[in-house]
Amino acid sequence: MSSDAEDLIKQLEELIDVIELPIGPIYRCIRKSLAKIYLESGKKMEGIFNLVESHAVSLRTRMHLRYDRTSKEDRHMLDGSLVQHGSAGVSTILDWLCKMPTEWSLVQVTRAYDPTFRFSVNSSKAATSALHIVRYECGARAQQQPPLCVTVPIKLESRTLAAELHAIVADQQEHLKWGTLSSARYHMLKSKLNLRMKNVVSKLQSEWLRHWSSLLIAPYVDLVEEEAVVSFVDQLLERCALTVDARAHRLLCQLAKAAPFLPEWDLRKGVASCVEAPAAVIKDMGHQLSRFPDAVRLLVVRRQPIILLLDEELELFPWEMLTVLQDHPVSRLPSLHVLYTLYKAHKSRIVGGRLQVDAGLGYYIVNPEQNLPRNEKRLRTFLTQRAPSWKGTFGVAPSSDAFRDVLQHNNMFIYSGHGSGAQFLQGDEIQKLHLRAVPFLFGCSSVSSKHLGGLVEPGGMWHFYHIANCPMVVGNLWSVTDTASDVITVHLLHRLLPQTRDMAMDAEKGEVPPKATECKDPDAPELWRPSGYNWKQEPDLLYAINRSHSSNKHYLATAALVARGLPILIIGKVC
C-alpha cells in the first residue's frame, strides 16, 4: 500500500472516530471510500468490513438508540449493541458467520463509492459505475470458504438503469388512475409496463452482473448434488491440465451451477476472470461449462436459502426475479448486522436454517377503510374457508390498540388494504413492541423505502418492524392494483398454508374445486375457491413466494412482492 493511501486511510478513520452519531449518507460515503482503497490495495477483508459498515446506517442508529433508551427489563431478546457502528471488526464478522446456520448463504451487493453522489438528493437514481458483490457462507461452510469479494464495473451505456426503474414505478403509480380508459387501452398500457420491467430485470443480469450473477446461486439441499458439481469441475480442470487455488475452484463451481442461465460468452469471461490459461483453453472450458450435463436437471433440485444484503441505493430492484434465482428461496435484509441481530433474537426457534412458525394462530384485516369492496368480496370467501382457525375483520377500521394486539398475539397476520397499515398504528408505536408475528402487508408500497431528501437515508415502515424484533415482513416495493394483489394473496397463502379438513375430504374424493360464481373480474379468473384437488403444500415461505411469481399477466405485481427477514417454515394446522 502506498504512503498516500495510508495517509488517506488514517484521515478517514480519524474522521469516523470523532463522529458520535453517524449521519447516514456521509458515514456511508466514508466507509465506501475506505473500502475502495483497501480493496485496490489487496486488503480484501478490511475492504469487506468497510462495505459491511456502509449498509443500513440510519436503521442501525435507530435500533441502537431504541435499545439504549430501553430499560433492561423491557429489552426482551433484542441486542441493539450488535448494530452499533464500528463495534464489530473483521474477526467479529467472521465469528458471526460461523455461528449462523450452515444452510444460509449471504450475498451482499453494494454500489461502489462515487464522489458525485454527494451532489444528488436521491442518489438511488444516479448513474451506477460499479458494484461490489460479497458472497458469505455460514456455519461449518464459513470456516472452509471465507468471504469472497468482486468489484463489477458497469458499462457507461448501462449506468442509467436505476433511473429507468424509478420511471417505471412512477408510471405504475399513474396506472392506478387509469379507471377512465377502455379495457383494451388499459391492458395495452399494462402490458407495456410489464415489458419495461422485464427489460430492466434482464439488463440487471446481462449488463450489470453478467457472469458474476453466478455468485447469487444457492447451494443444493442434497450434498450429493453439490458433490456432482465439484466432480464435474475437477474433471474439467484435469482435462485442461490446470491447477487452481480454492477461490478459483469455488468460482468455477458457481459458474457450473449458472450454466443454464448464462450465454457461453459470459461463461468464458467467467473462466478468464479466475483462471490463467491460453485463450484456446479458456474457450474450451467455457464451452464445456455450457454443456454441463446435469445443469438442466439441477434446475428443479431444491436449494438452500439465499439472503440478499442490499445497499439502500439498490434495494428497489426486483432481484428475486433474476433468472439465476429461478426456483430459489430468496430473502432480503439491509445489512449483516441486522441479520445477525434477528438471528440471535429468534435462534431458539430456528431448525434447519428456517424459523418455525405455527400457522394455527393467524389474523386478517381486509378493506379496513371500506373503499376496496371488490377486494373484500374476493378475499372473504377465500380466507374464511382456507384458514378456518383464523380470526379477522372485513370492512372494519381497527383502533391502534386493536392493531397492536393483533401484532403481539398472533403468529401470522394478513393486512389487505391501502399502504402498510401505518394509518392505524404508526411506526413509533410498532418499534416499542416485541414481535413474533410474520406480517403479510399486501397494500401498495408496504415495504418500500421512501426518500426523504437532503442528508437523510431512505426509510420505511419495515424498519420499525425490524426494530421491534419482527423476524420477517412480506410486502410490496411499489404500488399494485387490488386485483393483482388479491391473485397473489390467494396463490401464495393457498400454497403456503397446511391442508384443511374440507380440502382433505375433497382430495380424497378427487373432486375438482368449483369456481366462485361471484368472481366477475376479467383479470382474476384465478380467484376460485381453493380446494384439495391437485394441491401440494409448500411450507417454506421463500419457496412459496418464489412460486407465486408465475403470472406474466401480473408481472409488475409479482416483481413487487418481497420477503424481508429470516427464512420461515410454516408448521401446525389451520383447522
Side-chain angles (χ1 to χ4, degrees):
M1 182 183 293
S2 68
S3 58
D4 288 343
E6 290 178 349
D7 289 342
L8 183 54
I9 287 174
K10 183 179 179 181
Q11 293 175 30
L12 291 172
E13 291 183 341
E14 286 176 352
L15 182 58
I16 288 173
D17 288 340
V18 300
I19 298 176
E20 293 185 8
L21 192 64
I23 297 174
I26 295 176
Y27 185 84
R28 183 174 66 215
C29 280
I30 295 173
R31 287 297 186 183
K32 287 185 178 182
S33 180
L34 281 168
K36 182 176 185 293
I37 298 169
Y38 276 121
L39 292 173
E40 290 177 350
S41 302
K43 294 193 173 184
K44 296 293 184 181
M45 281 309 304
E46 288 81 0
I48 289 172
F49 165 72
N50 280 282
L51 291 177
V52 170
E53 276 292 313
S54 74
H55 278 232
V57 180
S58 296
L59 173 58
R60 288 162 52 204
T61 299
R62 291 192 196 107
M63 292 180 78
H64 179 67
L65 289 175
R66 177 65 193 154
Y67 172 81
D68 198 42
R69 294 171 181 173
T70 305
S71 65
K72 292 183 179 180
E73 293 76 17
D74 294 332
R75 283 180 181 174
H76 304 292
M77 297 167 64
L78 176 66
D79 186 353
S81 64
L82 295 172
V83 298
Q84 192 170 4
H85 302 287
S87 61
V90 171
S91 60
T92 302
I93 288 173
L94 294 176
D95 181 58
W96 287 357
L97 294 172
C98 291
K99 289 179 178 178
M100 286 189 284
T102 299
E103 293 82 3
W104 293 357
S105 294
L106 322 177
V107 179
Q108 178 178 295
V109 188
T110 311
R111 189 155 73 172
Y113 171 72
D114 186 334
T116 63
F117 285 178
R118 68 182 185 273
F119 300 115
S120 175
V121 175
N122 183 357
S123 61
S124 65
K125 295 182 182 179
T128 303
S129 59
L131 299 176
H132 300 296
I133 304 176
V134 187
R135 168 104 181 198
Y136 310 93
E137 306 301 339
C138 296
R141 290 185 294 115
Q143 299 176 1
Q144 303 166 355
Q145 302 180 23
L148 190 157
C149 179
V150 298
T151 300
V152 185
I154 298 173
K155 294 179 180 179
L156 185 62
E157 61 268 22
S158 302
R159 294 180 180 179
T160 58
L161 193 60
E164 166 63 4
L165 174 64
H166 281 80
I168 295 170
V169 171
D171 289 347
Q172 166 71 353
Q173 179 66 41
E174 286 299 312
H175 163 271
L176 300 180
K177 304 173 184 177
W178 293 350
T180 58
L181 298 177
S182 67
S183 178
R185 177 69 174 164
Y186 173 91
H187 289 291
M188 183 191 72
L189 293 173
K190 179 180 176 181
S191 296
K192 285 185 176 180
L193 284 177
N194 285 339
L195 288 173
R196 286 172 63 191
M197 183 59 78
K198 288 179 184 179
N199 190 44
V200 165
V201 172
S202 176
K203 287 184 176 180
L204 179 62
Q205 180 169 314
S206 63
E207 298 182 14
W208 277 28
L209 301 177
R210 302 189 300 281
H211 57 277
W212 296 115
S213 61
S214 61
L215 290 177
L216 276 64
I217 295 179
Y220 305 109
V221 171
D222 191 340
L223 293 179
V224 173
E225 310 293 1
E226 284 290 312
E227 292 169 0
V229 175
V230 173
S231 177
F232 170 76
V233 170
D234 289 342
Q235 292 173 20
L236 180 59
L237 291 170
E238 184 179 354
R239 170 186 165 174
C240 297
L242 291 174
T243 301
V244 298
D245 59 18
R247 180 181 185 276
H249 189 275
R250 186 177 168 191
L251 289 172
L252 288 171
C253 288
Q254 290 298 125
L255 283 171
K257 293 177 183 178
F261 308 109
L262 299 179
E264 187 174 326
W265 176 250
D266 275 346
L267 292 172
R268 287 186 205 172
K269 288 191 287 187
V271 172
S273 68
C274 57
V275 172
E276 292 186 7
V281 174
I282 289 175
K283 180 179 179 180
D284 180 55
M285 290 183 69
H287 181 63
Q288 294 303 319
L289 282 170
S290 70
R291 298 176 64 188
F292 177 31
D294 282 343
V296 176
R297 180 182 64 82
L298 291 176
L299 283 176
V300 296
V301 172
R302 288 187 76 87
R303 300 176 186 268
Q304 301 288 10
I306 277 284
I307 300 176
L308 300 178
L309 307 174
L310 299 174
D311 190 331
E312 284 96 329
E313 297 166 335
L314 299 169
E315 66 109 42
L316 185 63
F317 282 100
W319 298 87
E320 294 82 355
M321 303 298 286
L322 294 172
T323 58
V324 291
L325 293 178
Q326 175 183 313
D327 210 29
H328 274 56
V330 183
S331 180
R332 54 168 67 190
L333 277 165
S335 82
L336 184 59
H337 296 82
V338 177
L339 169 61
Y340 187 69
T341 302
L342 290 176
Y343 163 71
K344 285 273 289 182
H346 298 282
K347 67 178 182 178
S348 62
R349 295 193 292 145
I350 295 177
V351 179
R354 276 81 170 173
L355 177 71
Q356 296 193 338
V357 174
D358 190 335
L361 194 61
Y363 199 95
Y364 45 82
I365 294 176
V366 178
N367 187 25
E369 295 175 283
Q370 301 180 14
N371 51 11
L372 295 171
R374 293 191 304 169
N375 160 260
E376 179 179 339
K377 185 177 183 180
R378 286 190 290 252
L379 293 186
R380 181 184 290 272
T381 301
F382 169 74
L383 287 171
T384 54
Q385 295 180 357
R386 188 64 186 82
S389 68
W390 289 11
K391 298 179 180 179
T393 61
F394 298 94
V396 177
S399 65
S400 295
D401 288 340
F403 203 98
R404 184 184 297 108
D405 186 69
V406 166
L407 288 174
Q408 287 186 292
H409 298 103
N410 290 280
N411 295 331
M412 298 179 69
F413 167 54
I414 310 299
Y415 173 81
S416 184
H418 290 295
S420 62
Q423 61 271 45
F424 304 109
L425 187 65
Q426 295 184 351
D428 288 342
E429 293 300 316
I430 289 175
Q431 71 175 1
K432 298 175 184 177
L433 306 177
H434 172 61
L435 301 182
R436 291 166 54 94
V438 177
F440 292 76
L441 309 176
F442 288 113
C444 291
S445 307
S446 55
V447 295
S448 66
S449 297
K450 301 187 186 305
H451 291 273
L452 306 175
L455 293 179
V456 180
E457 285 187 305
M461 279 297 294
W462 61 275
H463 280 196
F464 298 107
Y465 277 97
H466 283 329
I467 295 172
N469 231 14
C470 183
M472 166 67 79
V473 185
V474 178
N476 293 309
L477 291 174
W478 50 75
S479 298
V480 295
T481 63
D482 62 325
T483 297
S485 178
D486 291 348
V487 170
I488 293 168
T489 301
V490 168
H491 282 202
L492 172 59
L493 294 179
H494 183 45
R495 195 184 307 271
L496 180 67
L497 295 178
Q499 198 175 44
T500 65
R501 291 192 186 94
D502 288 345
M503 289 171 64
M505 292 173 61
D506 288 345
E508 187 175 342
K509 298 174 184 177
E511 293 183 353
V512 178
K515 292 187 177 181
T517 56
E518 66 270 17
C519 264
K520 301 298 184 183
D521 265 311
D523 263 357
E526 306 97 326
L527 291 176
W528 45 270
R529 173 185 173 273
S531 188
Y533 186 77
N534 200 25
W535 169 89
K536 183 179 180 182
Q537 186 193 12
E538 178 48 77
D540 186 317
L541 172 59
L542 300 182
Y543 256 122
I545 291 175
N546 178 280
R547 289 168 181 172
S548 71
H549 288 176
S550 58
S551 173
N552 289 328
K553 183 166 59 176
H554 303 297
Y555 186 86
L556 260 174
T558 56
L561 188 70
V562 298
R564 297 188 182 275
L566 306 178
I568 299 291
L569 183 72
I570 297 300
I571 60 173
K573 299 180 179 180
V574 290
C575 57

